[in-house]
Amino acid sequence: MIKPSVHIVFLLLLAFQAVGQKNKKHDALDSLNAVWNNSTIELIERVKAGQEIARAYKNVNPDTAIVILKQLVDLADDNKDPIHIQTYMLMAGTYRTQGNYPLALDAAQDALTLAEELEDQTGIASAYNSMGQIMERQEDFEKALEYHTKSLIITKKLGDHQKIGMAYSNLGNIYGQLFMLQKSLDTYEQALKHLKEVDDQHGISVVNGNMGYVYSIQGDSVIENGGNAYVAGSYYLQSIQRSRKAMEYFESIGNRNFVLNAKSNIGLVYNSMSEFQQAKMICYEAYLESIEQNIYPMERDACGCLYDSYKGLKMTDSALIYYERFVHLKDSLLDMNEQRNFLEKELSYNYERQAQLADELHKQELDNQQIQAAKDKYIRNITIAFVSIGLLGFLIFSIFLYNRFKIIRAQKDLIEKQKDDLRLQKELVDYKNAEITDSIIYARRFQNAILPSEKKFKQILPDSFIFYRPKDIVAGDFYWLFKENDQIIFAVADCTGHGVPGAMVSVVCHNALNRSVREYGLRDPGKILDKTREIILEELNKNEEEVKDGMDIALVSLELGASAESENETPHSHSASHSVLKFAGAHNPLWIIRKDSAEVEEVKANKQPIGQFDSPIPFDSHSIEISKGDQIYIFSDGYADQFGGEKGKKFKSSNLKRLLLSNKQANMSTQFKTVESTFDDWMGSLEQVDDVCIIGVRF
């Protein structure tokens, strides 16, 4: 399974602003540049403007941010003011973004030194926090814990809940990196406690995102160590819930980076749960948006997630496409980092060289003032020579910058072309998706056509209900009805899978049932299932490829006025018989609620499917006498398997039994409404996990 680096996805708890409109950003930068370049304005205001400009360029063009911050550092050497602590902190953060950790650590230590000189406790805590993040990026977790702990101790003394929450959050990240997962979650809870004190919704959402990722690692750890799948599932559900909370907040403020992080994590969790269809849907959303936003790391993670999803769905061609894209993006990002580091070093060298030349010229000028008047002519010649050299150097540097500009312009044109190509590809994908969806919707008409209408079902079995809820547009569950003279045969079937694959299998199974009763004239439930299995195996194995698809089913045959007499049938006696009911099932049982009983009577099915099976045996037919007022129920497993409730657990068969018993006095129309509303309330905001079908009949 392809997963992102072990680094927790939402590593840093920083103050981000929502993304604004481009025009507003340009206007703001123009105003800041005007302040920065105006030497008549007070120095502190110019420094603040310079910091804001550097902050704006930090993530989009860190090289430019570094040049500005170096000029601010020169000012800091001349003016020991607390505002310059922030300059060093910005430089540390920018170098960290570039991956230049030695220079990032130097800048953070400069911030610490200045903060200690000024006895600025807030600055000291911030410097330790930055140093901890840098050591974390270098995977020196022992040092990272030391620095973050120092930051926490100071912020506790200051009583700043927001900064205390930040410190706890960063400690939680480290424990997560060390796979001390429960300690990581406990530490995050401490962070939430303090962030809620100041209603820091941004910080709360970041911590929720981090906890979502740690819960997913806990679930994976349980599975990898052969633990209980239910325990792993509870961790996965916690992960999804936390990630969705974070995603909702970041959606509201327009922070696409964090939204994509949350979607990728949810997709990874669905893959771990083998819910590959759900994983594919949310990872595809992240993939399209990362392309639109040009966020290559997010596109890489989305491709990795889609590879796992398609691999799990056994769609190898699609899986290969996204795997190749994942590898390409991974290699490209490595190349981009190397190129960015080279350019940063090159700009840094040019800047330092220019500063050195300026210092030498200034020193020479001071020396020239002390030279005797007789050497003035010689001095002028030397000055002219230096100016000529400077002009020549400036000309060479200008040519270099021009060539660099041409290269960047060519790269920009190439990127724009690639964006246009991707936009066309996206439009093509959207068109294809629309075509596929339309085809599936059209296919639903055919599937609905093979189902007996509710009107027909009510005509034959007036006091009954059908609760049918497909998970997707088309379904793997279906119900079936046949009537001849006084004999009524009906069934609920659950075919392998759901959606399009399940629907395709359901057509084969539905046709096999029809052939068993119409073509072969069978009426006994067990024999009908035997013949249906034979037909399905014949249809699904016409070529050399072995297909293990099939269905589970509960099938009832009702003959009005008959009684249980066959020696080969299993009797279920009941007094005051009005009619006889015969039942056969593959995995799915029959439930009976007698008129005066307070329990559910269960007629068990054979523990084998209608399909490929290692040791198949003939299906048993059970004969049961039914009295007036008795109720029967047949169903698929979708209702009982639905996750929901306060703890996100399965509904389970025991709760379904209690639900039906508590409503046995109600008419079938009321029972239907109760079954439907209970299912919707239980599911809540969670997604439906499987197709659902229940048939209830009162005699």
Side-chain angles (χ1 to χ4, degrees):
M1 181 179 293
I2 294 177
K3 288 199 173 186
S5 165
V6 73
H7 294 290
I8 294 176
V9 178
F10 298 87
L11 279 173
L12 306 179
L13 181 54
L14 301 172
F16 288 89
Q17 295 179 340
V19 178
Q21 298 296 325
K22 290 183 178 179
N23 291 338
K24 291 181 179 180
K25 284 186 174 181
H26 287 305
D27 292 343
L29 282 174
D30 288 343
S31 299
L32 291 168
N33 275 313
V35 174
W36 169 243
N37 293 314
N38 191 341
S39 58
T40 63
I41 294 178
E42 188 179 352
L43 180 61
I44 293 299
E45 294 303 318
R46 292 181 62 205
V47 171
K48 289 180 180 178
Q51 289 176 348
E52 288 303 317
I53 295 169
R55 189 175 285 110
Y57 281 113
K58 175 185 173 184
N59 292 311
V60 295
N61 193 341
D63 297 326
T64 300
I66 289 294
V67 171
I68 296 168
L69 289 168
K70 284 184 176 180
Q71 296 178 47
L72 291 175
V73 166
D74 290 340
L75 293 175
D77 291 337
D78 298 331
N79 182 12
K80 301 295 184 182
D81 190 280
I83 194 172
H84 294 304
I85 298 172
Q86 187 62 31
T87 300
Y88 287 120
M89 293 292 292
L90 276 170
M91 180 170 283
T94 307
Y95 277 129
R96 187 180 65 233
T97 299
Q98 290 184 309
N100 193 335
Y101 302 126
L103 290 180
L105 189 60
D106 287 345
Q109 287 173 335
D110 287 338
L112 178 62
T113 300
L114 180 57
E116 287 176 340
E117 287 181 14
L118 299 173
E119 298 182 354
D120 185 334
Q121 295 300 310
T122 300
I124 294 171
S126 297
Y128 277 131
N129 178 59
S130 179
M131 292 164 73
Q133 291 167 357
I134 295 164
M135 301 313 294
E136 180 182 353
R137 290 288 183 88
Q138 297 182 89
E139 300 186 10
D140 187 345
F141 300 124
E142 184 178 346
K143 274 290 185 185
L145 277 175
E146 176 188 337
Y147 290 138
H148 283 310
T149 302
K150 288 181 177 180
S151 177
L152 176 61
I153 292 170
I154 296 171
T155 53
K156 280 186 174 181
K157 290 179 181 178
L158 294 172
D160 187 330
H161 286 291
Q162 196 276 335
K163 286 187 170 58
I164 295 172
M166 176 191 294
Y168 272 122
S169 175
N170 290 328
L171 283 170
N173 294 346
I174 304 300
Y175 291 129
Q177 303 282 22
L178 295 170
F179 284 92
M180 301 169 65
L181 303 180
Q182 191 55 51
K183 190 168 183 63
S184 174
L185 292 171
D186 294 342
T187 308
Y188 283 138
E189 290 291 355
Q190 289 293 324
L192 288 176
K193 174 184 174 183
H194 288 279
L195 293 170
K196 288 176 181 178
E197 286 287 334
V198 291
D199 194 28
D200 183 356
Q201 291 301 315
H202 186 278
I204 291 168
S205 300
V206 171
V207 174
N208 275 327
N210 285 353
M211 294 181 77
Y213 193 78
V214 174
Y215 273 121
S216 74
I217 297 174
Q218 270 196 320
D220 291 344
S221 179
V222 171
I223 296 298
E224 289 167 3
N225 292 312
N228 188 295
Y230 175 78
V231 174
S234 66
Y235 288 141
Y236 288 142
L237 286 172
Q238 282 277 13
S239 175
I240 291 172
Q241 290 171 0
R242 294 282 185 175
S243 296
R244 286 195 183 281
K245 284 182 180 179
M247 186 171 69
E248 288 170 4
Y249 170 77
F250 292 121
E251 284 276 15
S252 69
I253 66 169
N255 192 320
R256 307 315 306 167
N257 241 324
F258 276 20
V259 170
L260 293 176
N261 269 328
K263 286 185 177 181
S264 292
N265 188 53
I266 293 170
L268 289 170
V269 174
Y270 276 131
N271 276 332
S272 297
M273 296 172 71
S274 297
E275 293 289 343
F276 301 115
Q277 192 67 31
Q278 298 294 334
K280 185 191 75 173
M281 291 171 61
I282 194 162
C283 287
Y284 191 68
E285 289 178 12
Y287 172 69
L288 291 180
E289 190 169 345
S290 64
I291 291 174
E292 184 178 345
Q293 300 288 334
N294 291 324
I295 306 175
Y296 295 118
M298 295 297 99
E299 184 184 351
R300 174 201 59 198
D301 292 345
C303 286
C305 180
L306 286 169
Y307 162 71
D308 287 330
S309 301
Y310 280 113
K311 182 180 176 184
L313 293 168
K314 302 189 185 309
M315 299 172 68
T316 53
D317 290 343
S318 297
L320 180 60
I321 290 171
Y322 286 105
Y323 179 75
E324 290 175 345
R325 182 63 178 161
F326 169 80
V327 172
H328 172 73
L329 286 169
K330 182 179 178 183
D331 294 341
S332 297
L333 287 170
L334 288 173
D335 292 341
M336 288 169 65
N337 286 334
E338 291 175 359
Q339 184 180 14
R340 184 176 61 188
N341 290 337
F342 172 77
L343 289 174
E344 194 279 334
K345 291 176 182 178
E346 188 176 42
L347 284 171
S348 176
Y349 171 79
N350 289 333
Y351 173 81
E352 291 171 1
R353 181 60 180 159
Q354 284 182 309
Q356 183 181 355
L357 287 172
D359 289 342
E360 290 175 358
L361 286 171
H362 181 63
K363 183 179 179 181
Q364 184 65 44
E365 183 179 352
L366 292 176
D367 291 341
N368 288 341
Q369 293 176 0
Q370 299 173 5
I371 297 176
Q372 297 176 4
K375 298 180 180 178
D376 285 348
K377 184 177 181 180
Y378 175 76
I379 293 170
R380 283 196 297 273
N381 292 336
I382 293 296
T383 303
I384 292 170
F386 271 107
V387 171
S388 299
I389 292 171
L391 288 173
L392 179 61
F394 177 75
L395 179 61
I396 293 171
F397 186 65
S398 298
I399 293 171
F400 169 78
L401 288 180
Y402 177 71
N403 289 333
R404 179 62 62 184
F405 170 76
K406 286 184 14 180
I407 292 171
I408 293 172
R409 183 60 180 269
Q411 291 174 340
K412 182 180 178 183
D413 292 342
L414 177 60
I415 291 170
E416 290 297 328
K417 182 180 182 303
Q418 291 174 341
K419 287 172 63 176
D420 291 339
D421 292 342
L422 288 172
R423 192 174 296 109
L424 290 173
Q425 291 175 10
K426 180 179 181 296
E427 291 174 358
L428 178 60
V429 169
D430 291 343
Y431 174 74
K432 291 293 184 182
N433 284 340
E435 274 192 330
I436 292 168
T437 302
D438 291 343
S439 298
I440 295 172
I441 292 171
Y442 193 73
R444 179 175 60 187
R445 297 173 58 190
F446 291 101
Q447 188 174 46
N448 289 342
I450 68 174
L451 297 175
S453 67
E454 185 176 352
K455 180 179 180 182
K456 180 179 179 181
F457 206 93
K458 286 284 189 180
Q459 286 175 346
I460 296 172
L461 294 167
D463 202 2
S464 64
F465 76 81
I466 303 171
F467 177 59
Y468 182 57
R469 180 77 65 84
K471 178 185 182 300
D472 299 308
I473 298 172
V474 289
D477 284 14
F478 69 91
Y479 54 95
W480 178 81
L481 176 67
F482 173 81
K483 183 178 186 300
E484 183 179 68
N485 300 324
D486 290 333
Q487 189 165 25
I488 304 167
I489 307 174
F490 59 97
V492 169
D494 182 356
C495 297
T496 306
H498 47 72
V500 174
M504 294 176 70
V505 178
S506 74
V507 172
V508 176
C509 296
H510 186 278
N511 180 58
L513 283 170
N514 281 337
R515 289 184 61 190
S516 297
V517 296
R518 299 180 190 277
E519 182 179 335
Y520 293 95
L522 299 175
R523 298 295 181 266
D524 179 75
K527 292 179 180 179
I528 291 172
L529 296 190
D530 290 336
K531 177 55 71 174
T532 300
R533 175 170 58 191
E534 178 185 329
I535 295 170
I536 288 172
L537 290 175
E538 180 182 345
E539 290 294 325
L540 294 181
N541 293 284
K542 287 185 175 181
N543 56 30
E544 294 180 358
E545 184 177 353
E546 183 180 16
V547 179
K548 294 185 178 181
D549 294 305
M551 67 175 171
D552 298 337
I553 190 170
L555 186 142
V556 173
S557 172
L558 178 66
E559 189 172 350
L560 302 176
S563 61
E565 297 175 352
S566 173
E567 294 180 359
N568 297 325
E569 296 167 352
T570 306
H572 296 255
S573 61
H574 193 269
S575 60
S577 170
H578 286 74
S579 59
V580 66
L581 177 150
K582 294 181 181 180
F583 166 77
H587 286 306
N588 293 347
L590 166 70
W591 287 357
I592 305 171
I593 300 179
R594 303 290 185 180
K595 180 179 180 181
D596 300 320
S597 175
E599 295 181 353
V600 174
E601 179 182 332
E602 180 171 300
V603 184
K604 296 188 180 297
N606 290 96
K607 297 299 181 182
Q608 60 181 359
I610 304 292
Q612 192 74 39
F613 193 65
D614 289 339
S615 301
I617 60 173
F619 285 94
D620 296 326
S621 287
H622 303 267
S623 182
I624 308 106
E625 290 185 354
I626 296 296
S627 300
K628 185 177 181 181
D630 290 347
Q631 301 170 55
I632 66 168
Y633 301 89
I634 56 176
F635 44 84
S636 65
D637 59 3
Y639 200 104
D641 287 346
Q642 178 60 46
F643 288 101
E646 293 181 358
K647 298 182 179 180
K649 296 183 177 180
K650 286 186 178 182
F651 190 80
K652 296 186 179 179
S653 298
S654 57
N655 287 326
L656 181 56
K657 285 182 179 179
R658 282 193 287 271
L659 176 66
L660 297 175
L661 276 171
S662 65
N663 287 273
K664 74 173 191 174
Q665 302 299 333
N667 60 46
M668 284 295 161
S669 176
T670 302
Q671 286 193 31
F672 167 79
K673 293 177 182 177
T674 302
V675 168
E676 181 182 44
S677 62
T678 300
F679 183 80
D680 290 334
D681 292 342
W682 179 262
M683 182 168 62
S685 61
L686 297 180
E687 297 186 19
Q688 186 174 334
V689 300
D690 199 359
D691 302 323
V692 176
C693 186
I694 300 177
I695 291 179
V697 180
R698 175 184 277 127
F699 295 94

